[in-house]
Amino acid sequence: MPSCPECESDLDIEVDEVEEGDIVACEDCGSEFEVVGVEPLELVRVEEDLEEEEEPFEEDEEE
């Protein structure tokens, strides 16, 4: 059973049932991780403060 990279607690996930792009959460510390690799299992912490990509500001042309 994999462990949480943040708090070292066991993560309640089945390694053979997750796919790249899945989000898993630690029940103990509440951290969320994205699965970036499955063999071996690689997890990257999901940052809560990520801002969505904004479209460039376009000024209205006045005539």
Side-chain angles (χ1 to χ4, degrees):
M1 182 172 285
S3 61
C4 174
E6 292 293 316
C7 71
E8 306 285 322
S9 297
D10 288 337
L11 293 174
D12 189 23
I13 60 172
E14 296 295 326
V15 177
D16 57 342
E17 293 181 5
V18 294
E19 297 178 357
E20 285 186 30
D22 287 351
I23 303 294
V24 296
C26 175
E27 293 179 6
D28 287 346
C29 70
S31 297
E32 291 186 332
F33 303 93
E34 179 178 356
V35 178
V36 294
V38 291
E39 287 190 28
L41 182 66
E42 291 183 57
L43 303 173
V44 173
R45 184 167 184 174
V46 174
E47 299 294 328
E48 295 175 11
D49 296 333
L50 289 179
E51 295 181 18
E52 293 181 22
E53 289 185 30
E54 297 180 12
E55 293 183 21
F57 180 74
E58 293 181 21
E59 293 184 26
D60 293 334
E61 293 182 23
E62 293 184 26
E63 293 183 33

